[in-house]
Amino acid sequence: MKILSVEQVRAADAYTIQHEPIASIDLMERASRAFVNWFCKHFETGNFKVKIFCGLGDNGGDGLAIARMLQPLGYDLEVFMVKYSEKSSENFQINLKRLESQLTINYIENEQFMLNFAKNDIIIDALLGSGLSRSIEGLLKSVIEKINCSETSIISVDTPSGLFADKSNDSTDAIIKATYTVAFQLPKLAFMLPQNEEFVGDWHIVDIGLHPNFIQSTETQFYFSTPKEVEKLIKPRKKFSHKGTFGHALLIAGSHGMMGAAVLAARACMRSGVGKLTVHSVKSGLPIMQTLLPEAMYWEAWNSKSADFIATNFHVDDFSNSFQAVGVGPGIGVNGIIRTSLEKLCEICRDLAIPMVLDADALNNFSTEKGRSAMKKIPENSILTPHPKEFRNLIGKSWKDDYEKLEFLREFSVRDKLIICLKGANTAVALPDGTIHFNSSGNAGMATAGSGDVLTGIITALLAQGYEPKEAAILGVYQHGVAGDCAAEKFGMTSMMASDIIENIRF
């Protein structure tokens, strides 16, 4: 699913109006009906009032149409029109005339107005749409502040009033804090970013029939990975397959006291369909791994300097014709000796065209001053899976807001030709072609120790099975989230552990 800019959405509206063809007011009617259908599925009539707040533009016109459609269905309605200007849109005026004979409209015309809310009221926010480009002041700001203090459920039409769709708001801006946002046709970029969580709430998409030809032909940098599209990437298994068909992965993970990270990554790798797995780790980890995961082979690391961490002098003969993918990083530790080993590993994988996943301590070793200069040794199209702090350390700078963070993410991916999975809610997968794909699965229960190690194992397994790196990244992140959602259903988000995610991996 594409994420379009405000200008592109306006163009989609205009194209639909011209080429369907359909009148602008009828397209508004269709959008309002889609919202009402969603609303009725989630909120049956009952002992509560629905209070609809309308602005003077097309978003307010949506609100008036929604009121007209809800009233015959038995909902107890109150409609408020905020008269902050003498001007209003043509579609607003049409819907105002349609509603006036059906319902009494309450006008808010100055800042001395009074609003009373009961806790079981439902507020529909139709004050301002996605085309807002400046901060809200005056009467509208007062209304928004009172609505936000209502302690009721708030449902925003298309976008929370006051929230910019494509750029960052100031911290002092007045913005509706929606419980739900029901967006028309496509999500907004603002919905994907942590800084907007308290305003967007749970967001949903309703189809309003914008012309598919326009959407398909319009280029964008941002995508939202829907289940239907991502699951098409899964390769079916043929009847006469054998373990060699699904690749041999090498997982380099663990150190003294950190073998749990290696076990979690290895178990996730096996659960994700790899044919064979070799775990390369410290000598003390052998009985742990062989006991907890007998399906995996073990390549014991040894060096004369320390038995506590991996410091192998990797040789090309260890890899030639042996492994189809390498995952490295969970729990390996950070120091100069390990970084030297990683540099050699990257050179070998680059020369042999073995795809790589780098996570956790592999990234931390490249985040030092010396490490950043060595990052050029990471093979192109390698998959990096940092969380925000690790990403900040990798690039060596901070961002002023989440929009700038996305710019840094894209620049890094394009410049170094790497695939970056920036972990978090709606994990952002940045590709070297400049596009960013936001994930649709997962939940807050996955914010637990070892969850990232599980993701490393999943993506490594997909690479070993022959998935293209960009497919492995997008599919791996999605399947990781789906497994987390299944685990949350069983254990609850607070109680789930990373091992619960592994046990719910399904392909």
Side-chain angles (χ1 to χ4, degrees):
M1 182 180 288
K2 292 181 178 180
I3 300 173
L4 302 184
S5 68
V6 171
E7 290 76 15
Q8 288 173 321
V9 172
R10 284 178 181 149
D13 287 344
Y15 186 95
T16 303
I17 290 167
Q18 180 181 355
H19 289 85
E20 185 168 333
I22 185 173
S24 176
I25 187 64
D26 293 331
L27 182 59
M28 177 178 284
E29 192 79 357
R30 193 157 72 193
S32 300
R33 177 60 65 187
F35 178 95
V36 168
N37 290 340
W38 179 92
F39 184 90
C40 292
K41 287 179 182 178
H42 291 80
F43 300 94
E44 296 181 358
T45 56
N47 186 28
F48 60 87
K49 280 185 178 293
V50 179
K51 298 185 176 181
I52 305 176
F53 288 81
C54 302
L56 301 173
D58 279 0
N59 195 249
D62 291 326
L64 296 173
I66 288 165
R68 172 167 45 81
M69 295 174 188
L70 285 177
Q71 196 270 340
L73 301 178
Y75 291 93
D76 187 1
L77 301 180
E78 282 189 77
V79 179
F80 299 85
M81 190 181 85
V82 184
K83 198 168 183 183
Y84 54 88
S85 172
E86 294 302 319
K87 298 179 180 179
S88 58
S89 74
E90 181 180 351
N91 287 336
F92 174 89
Q93 288 294 336
I94 293 172
N95 272 316
L96 180 61
K97 290 177 182 177
R98 290 176 176 178
L99 182 64
E100 281 178 325
S101 61
Q102 188 175 326
L103 277 173
T104 300
I105 297 174
N106 302 289
Y107 289 85
I108 299 175
E109 301 183 77
N110 58 63
E111 296 192 32
Q112 280 67 55
F113 68 93
M114 296 291 293
L115 291 175
N116 296 308
F117 300 102
K119 284 192 175 181
N120 63 338
D121 285 346
I122 295 175
I123 293 173
I124 294 179
D125 156 42
L127 291 170
L128 297 165
S130 59
L132 183 71
S133 59
R134 57 189 175 87
S135 299
I136 296 171
E137 298 293 341
L139 183 59
L140 272 173
K141 183 175 182 179
S142 297
V143 172
I144 288 174
E145 289 172 346
K146 284 184 168 59
I147 290 174
N148 283 342
C149 292
S150 65
E151 298 183 358
T152 67
S153 292
I154 303 171
I155 307 170
S156 288
V157 179
D158 197 35
T159 192
S161 293
L163 181 66
F164 299 147
D166 302 330
K167 64 180 182 178
S168 185
N169 285 85
D170 291 335
S171 60
T172 57
D173 283 352
I175 307 171
I176 286 288
K177 296 181 179 179
T179 313
Y180 304 96
T181 297
V182 180
F184 295 149
Q185 197 73 47
L186 300 168
K188 314 292 189 289
L189 179 59
F191 297 177
M192 306 296 152
L193 305 181
Q195 71 183 56
N196 298 323
E197 178 185 9
E198 66 173 322
F199 308 117
V200 177
D202 292 331
W203 59 270
H204 303 264
I205 299 294
V206 292
D207 188 348
I208 67 169
L210 293 183
H211 207 294
N213 289 354
F214 180 89
I215 295 173
Q216 290 169 9
S217 63
T218 300
E219 294 185 1
T220 180
Q221 295 174 327
F222 302 107
Y223 295 82
F224 183 67
S225 299
T226 61
K228 181 179 178 181
E229 292 303 314
V230 179
E231 288 170 2
K232 289 179 182 178
L233 299 175
I234 299 175
K235 297 179 179 181
R237 292 198 160 202
K238 295 181 180 179
K239 179 178 179 180
F240 291 100
S241 302
H242 53 84
K243 65 184 178 182
T245 306
F246 304 112
H248 186 180
L250 173 65
L251 182 65
I252 302 170
S255 58
H256 183 72
M258 291 293 291
M259 284 306 300
V263 171
L264 289 169
R267 287 181 62 82
C269 191
M270 293 299 301
R271 280 281 183 214
S272 300
V274 71
K276 295 188 291 181
L277 172 64
T278 293
V279 177
H280 179 58
S281 194
V282 293
K283 182 177 182 179
S284 60
L286 173 60
I288 298 171
M289 187 63 68
Q290 295 282 262
T291 301
L292 295 179
L293 190 63
E295 296 89 347
M297 296 175 284
Y298 203 81
W299 173 11
E300 182 182 305
W302 182 88
N303 66 85
S304 60
K305 296 180 180 178
S306 175
D308 293 338
F309 57 84
I310 297 168
T312 303
N313 184 20
F314 293 110
H315 192 273
V316 66
D317 292 341
D318 298 323
F319 292 79
S320 184
N321 300 317
S322 296
F323 304 112
Q324 282 69 56
V326 173
V328 57
I332 63 174
V334 179
N335 61 47
I337 299 172
I338 297 171
R339 186 179 66 250
T340 300
S341 296
L342 288 175
E343 290 178 30
K344 180 62 175 177
L345 174 68
C346 287
E347 290 174 352
I348 292 172
C349 289
R350 181 191 61 205
D351 293 343
L352 297 178
I354 301 174
M356 296 187 74
V357 184
L358 293 91
D359 178 40
D361 283 343
L363 303 179
N364 294 331
N365 275 286
F366 284 112
S367 295
T368 63
E369 187 174 342
K370 290 183 179 180
R372 290 191 198 101
S373 63
M375 280 189 62
K376 60 181 180 294
K377 296 184 179 181
I378 298 176
E380 292 182 3
N381 286 313
S382 292
I383 301 171
L384 280 58
T385 59
H387 56 59
K389 184 178 179 180
E390 290 169 340
F391 178 63
R392 184 191 66 197
N393 292 339
L394 271 176
I395 63 176
K397 56 184 176 180
S398 298
W399 43 85
K400 62 183 179 182
D401 55 51
D402 288 335
Y403 292 87
E404 186 173 62
K405 178 179 67 178
L406 288 182
E407 285 304 310
F408 290 165
L409 180 65
R410 181 191 292 108
E411 289 170 5
F412 182 42
S413 177
V414 172
R415 182 194 69 217
D416 291 357
K417 297 182 175 57
L418 300 172
I419 297 169
I420 318 295
C421 304
L422 184 56
K423 294 183 289 194
N426 300 127
T427 290
V429 180
L431 303 181
D433 65 3
T435 60
I436 295 178
H437 300 250
F438 294 96
N439 184 46
S440 60
S441 62
N443 62 84
M446 300 174 72
T448 185
S451 179
D453 304 325
V454 174
L455 177 61
T456 299
I458 294 172
I459 296 177
T460 303
L462 294 174
L463 289 176
Q465 291 170 75
Y467 286 84
E468 291 295 318
K470 68 177 183 179
E471 296 175 343
I474 293 171
L475 178 59
V477 166
Y478 173 76
Q479 289 293 107
H480 181 244
V482 169
D485 289 337
C486 293
E489 288 183 11
K490 293 182 180 180
F491 300 102
M493 286 190 285
T494 300
S495 300
M496 62 185 282
M497 301 184 297
S499 54
D500 300 324
I501 301 173
I502 297 170
E503 297 311 312
N504 284 280
I505 295 173
R506 300 286 186 276
F507 278 88

